[in-house]
């Protein structure tokens, strides 16, 4: 096994690209698709090969195919097992993350919303994500079968048929955008449908063609917050009636005006959310892809971690560093948070950048794993800080701890804004 991994990696490096030559791919596929670990008891130590590969073999050396009774029967799909298969098809943990990033935009939006819209946005986003992930797995069955970490996926182990998987993808792919269209608004529905096409079509195809698949995948991951923003009625593009607004810190303004929360609804706010999710994904995915680069090479995926591991670490560092101005300048400048967020976000950002710097400077799986582990807590911590510093959010008043004088002051400020 180890010799095969090294041989596959060498073939990839010699070619200078992330895919194998035809003859090398055939050898690699033969090894991984006909591994003796999948044989029934009694055949593990033999030199058994499928009948199609035994042509020309002397009869005395040929190993007979196992009888059907030697194989274990496939378990009947109960309701519980079927639901588990559906969860694996939709990549449940990834879908939950996508749904939470969409809900975070709803929570940060200054526009009011209702419970039906909130629930419809969450369910519709989850259905779109499930459809995209299922379509992705339908196309990658031959390649998933060659990687240890994906061999147990439902379509690879034939827990369900491809037709069944296609039906799941079609049902969720129609239900998600339809729910968003009729219960939320057409803009959010088109973003959801477009993301299915972008992930299952463009991204999945590019994984075997170009290293820039990661850039496309990062756009896919950054669209759900835009869906949450438009679900509340927010717009994405500036216009004469919807201009970009800047919330400068008090020490840069000569005559600071009372805060007008409605101005937070401007195109700079969803752009800030987009950039946060877009840049976060590069350190997260590049570190993970470095840890499984041998598997990507075996399956013929064109990943930056396979073709150029040094540049892979450099891209991670660039976007980890880009998160600093995104959080400390762009987010408070858009009005999503107060300028206190610019200071409190520096601590997690500096920890993240430090890990990415070590990965770039020294390389190695230890530093890659450190970047990946930091990325897991980074996003929820940053979203929590954004909610804590949300513009116009008075947590003391929300918790019922604000004094009467503070409430009277806020009411007077609101009257001044209304009069203007």
């Amino acid at each position: 096994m180890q010799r095969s991994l090294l041989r596959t990696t060498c073939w990839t490096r010699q070619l200078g690209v992330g895919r194998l030559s035809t003859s090398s791919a055939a050898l690699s596929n033969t090894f991984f698709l006909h591994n003796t670990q999948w044989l029934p008891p009694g055949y593990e130590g033999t030199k058994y090969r499928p009948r199609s590969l035994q042509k020309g073999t002397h009869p005395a050396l040929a190993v007979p195919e196992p009888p059907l009774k030697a194989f274990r029967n496939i378990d009947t799909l109960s309701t519980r097992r079927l639901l588990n298969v559906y969860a694996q098809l939709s990549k449940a943990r990834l879908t939950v993350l996508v749904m939470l990033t969409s809900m975070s935009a709803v929570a940060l939006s200054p526009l009011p919303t209702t419970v039906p819209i909130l629930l419809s946005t969450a369910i519709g986003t989850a259905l779109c994500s499930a459809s995209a992930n299922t379509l992705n797995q339908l196309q990658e069955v031959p390649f998933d079968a060659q990687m240890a970490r994906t061999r147990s996926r439902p379509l690879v182990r034939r827990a369900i048929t491809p037709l069944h998987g296609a039906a799941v993808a079609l049902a969720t792919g129609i239900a998600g955008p339809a729910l968003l269209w009729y219960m939320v608004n057409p803009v959010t529905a088109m973003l959801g449908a477009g993301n299915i096409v972008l992930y299952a079509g463009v991204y999945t195809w590019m994984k075997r063609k170009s290293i820039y698949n990661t850039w496309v995948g990062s756009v896919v991951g950054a669209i759900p917050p835009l869906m949450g923003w438009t679900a509340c009625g927010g717009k994405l593009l500036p216009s004469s009636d919807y201009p970009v607004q800047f919330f400068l810190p008090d020490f840069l303004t000569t005559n600071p005006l009372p805060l007008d929360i409605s101005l937070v609804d401007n195109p700079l706010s969803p752009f800030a959310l987009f950039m946060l999710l877009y840049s976060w994904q590069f350190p997260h995915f590049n570190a993970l892809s470095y840890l499984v680069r041998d598997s990507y090479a075996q399956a013929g995926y064109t990943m930056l971690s396979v073709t150029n591991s040094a540049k892979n670490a450099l891209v991670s560092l660039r976007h980890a560093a880009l998160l600093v101005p995104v959080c400390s300048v762009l987010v408070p400048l858009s009005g999503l948070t107060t300028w206190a967020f610019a200071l409190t976000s520096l601590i997690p950002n500096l920890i993240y950048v430090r890990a990415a710097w070590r990965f770039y400077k020294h390389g190695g799986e230890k530093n890659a794993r450190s970047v990946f582990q930091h990325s897991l807590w980074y996003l929820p911590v940053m979203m929590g800080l954004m909610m804590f510093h949300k513009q116009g959010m008075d947590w003391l008043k929300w918790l019922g701890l604000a004094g009467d004088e503070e409430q009277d002051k806020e009411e007077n400020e609101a009257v001044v804004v209304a009069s203007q």
Side-chain angles (χ1 to χ4, degrees):
M1 174 67 79
Q2 292 298 325
R3 285 195 294 270
S4 178
L5 294 181
L6 293 173
R7 185 166 61 250
T8 304
T9 305
C10 291
W11 287 331
T12 307
R13 288 175 178 171
Q14 290 172 2
L15 289 170
V17 294
R19 79 187 74 136
L20 308 177
S21 65
T22 303
S23 59
S24 300
L27 291 171
S28 177
N29 291 350
T30 299
F31 179 86
F32 284 100
L33 292 178
H34 305 293
N35 198 315
T36 55
Q37 68 171 305
W38 304 110
L39 294 176
Y43 283 80
E44 296 90 339
T46 67
K47 295 182 179 179
Y48 165 76
R49 294 188 300 168
R51 184 176 298 170
S52 60
L53 298 179
Q54 295 193 43
K55 294 179 181 178
T57 303
H58 192 278
L61 300 177
V63 179
E65 292 188 355
L68 290 178
K69 63 181 182 180
F71 293 89
R72 181 172 60 87
N73 292 326
I74 298 177
D75 295 329
T76 304
L77 277 179
S78 62
T79 302
R80 181 178 179 181
R81 285 174 178 165
L82 187 60
L83 291 176
N84 184 50
V85 166
Y86 289 162
Q88 293 177 29
L89 282 177
S90 64
K91 299 180 183 176
R93 287 184 293 182
L94 178 60
T95 294
V96 169
L97 176 63
V98 168
M99 184 174 61
L100 290 177
T101 57
S102 177
M103 291 298 96
S104 66
V106 175
L108 289 167
S109 174
L111 300 174
T113 187
T114 61
V115 174
I117 289 180
L118 183 68
L119 293 177
S120 299
T121 303
I123 297 173
T125 302
L127 288 172
C128 290
S129 176
S131 176
N133 289 321
T134 304
L135 289 170
N136 169 267
Q137 292 185 54
L138 279 167
Q139 298 174 72
E140 294 185 341
V141 171
F143 316 117
D144 285 345
Q146 300 176 56
M147 297 191 291
R149 72 185 190 92
T150 55
R151 281 180 182 170
S152 60
R153 286 179 174 176
L155 291 168
V156 177
R157 68 176 192 269
R158 298 183 181 181
I160 59 173
T161 64
L163 181 61
H164 190 164
V168 172
L170 183 64
T172 53
I174 293 176
L179 180 64
L180 293 173
W181 184 285
Y182 290 106
M183 293 299 295
V184 185
N185 56 58
V187 175
T188 307
M190 287 188 287
L191 285 172
N195 224 19
I196 295 175
V197 174
L198 194 60
Y199 184 81
V202 181
Y203 170 72
T204 301
W205 176 81
M206 286 186 67
K207 284 174 71 175
R208 299 181 61 81
K209 302 295 182 182
S210 171
I211 60 171
Y212 294 105
N213 66 78
T214 305
W215 278 258
V216 176
S218 295
V219 172
V220 172
I223 286 179
L226 303 185
M227 296 172 64
W229 189 265
T230 57
C232 297
K235 299 178 181 178
L236 302 178
L237 300 177
S239 65
S240 57
D241 298 330
Y242 194 70
V244 174
Q245 301 286 343
F246 297 104
F247 287 73
L248 298 174
D250 291 340
F251 65 87
L252 292 179
T253 55
T254 54
N255 295 314
L257 297 174
L259 178 64
D260 187 356
I261 298 299
S262 63
L263 296 179
V264 177
D265 177 28
N266 74 89
L268 196 60
S269 296
F271 177 69
L273 291 171
F274 177 90
M275 286 304 302
L276 176 63
L277 268 295
Y278 178 78
S279 291
W280 168 79
Q281 289 175 90
F282 284 93
H284 171 77
F285 178 77
N286 285 15
L288 175 62
S289 66
Y290 182 84
L291 294 172
V292 295
R293 64 193 183 282
D294 288 339
S295 295
Y296 280 136
Q298 293 160 17
Y301 287 119
T302 309
M303 295 295 175
L304 191 58
S305 59
V306 175
T307 60
N308 192 333
S309 58
K311 188 174 182 179
N312 178 70
L314 177 60
V315 171
S316 300
L317 177 61
R318 286 174 181 171
H319 283 274
L322 183 60
L323 286 169
V324 177
V326 167
C327 295
S328 293
V329 179
L330 184 59
V331 170
L333 189 65
S334 69
L336 281 172
T337 66
T338 64
W339 279 93
F341 176 73
L343 298 176
T344 56
S345 64
L346 279 176
I347 298 175
N349 271 322
L350 291 177
I351 296 174
Y352 204 24
V353 171
R354 180 171 175 264
W357 168 257
R358 286 185 172 181
F359 179 39
Y360 167 69
K361 192 69 175 177
H362 305 290
E365 294 190 358
K366 179 180 179 181
N367 291 316
R369 188 171 288 106
S370 175
V371 174
F372 179 72
Q373 290 172 347
H374 282 311
S375 71
L376 297 179
W377 61 257
Y378 176 89
L379 195 60
V381 166
M382 204 58 66
M383 289 297 181
L385 286 174
M386 290 176 72
M387 278 302 304
F388 183 77
H389 295 291
K390 180 181 177 181
Q391 191 74 265
M393 188 67 181
D394 189 344
W395 288 101
L396 292 178
K397 182 180 178 181
W398 189 78
L399 295 172
L401 301 177
D404 295 336
E405 295 181 358
E406 293 182 0
Q407 293 182 2
D408 294 339
K409 181 180 179 181
E410 291 178 358
E411 292 175 358
N412 293 333
E413 289 179 352
V415 172
V416 172
V417 172
S419 64
Q420 294 179 348

